[in-house]
Amino acid sequence: MLGESDVRLTAWVHGHVQGVGFRWWTRSRALELGLTGYAANKADGRVQVVAQGPREACQRLLDLLESGQTPGQVDKVISDWSQPADAIAGFTER
């Protein structure tokens, strides 16, 4: 259920982030924060993270993605904030 203050974070994570447990780690952090969405491998080697929920929780997830404490090696994170789209059930790996 989306609340009035909910946002959608789309983050493109660049670096060595595929095949290292990055999506699983991201899913675990997002669920701890009560977010819904997904983490998906892209053909060019990036991981796309889409998270919906309270802005504070989405910002915390973004901070974690940029923390240097993730699996693999994150070189940069490009983020985009928007209004939440249709509700997403759970947080999945794609």
Side-chain angles (χ1 to χ4, degrees):
M1 189 79 181
L2 294 171
E4 285 183 26
S5 63
D6 286 354
V7 297
R8 180 180 185 126
L9 165 67
T10 303
W12 295 94
V13 184
H14 299 247
H16 180 61
V17 289
Q18 291 191 11
V20 294
F22 187 87
R23 291 177 302 150
W24 178 89
W25 180 90
T26 301
R27 177 179 179 272
S28 296
R29 302 296 77 78
L31 290 172
E32 290 169 1
L33 292 165
L35 298 171
T36 61
Y38 58 88
N41 282 342
K42 294 299 176 182
D44 62 6
R46 297 179 298 174
V47 170
Q48 178 190 26
V49 177
V50 174
Q52 291 188 162
R55 184 174 186 95
E56 176 181 299
C58 287
Q59 181 62 56
R60 180 72 183 120
L61 180 62
L62 180 58
D63 292 345
L64 288 166
L65 294 174
E66 296 173 332
S67 70
Q69 304 299 312
T70 65
Q73 173 65 45
V74 173
D75 295 332
K76 69 178 174 179
V77 179
I78 307 296
S79 59
D80 178 62
W81 295 92
S82 60
Q83 293 299 312
D86 294 335
I88 302 170
F91 200 98
T92 57
E93 297 173 47
R94 294 185 180 175

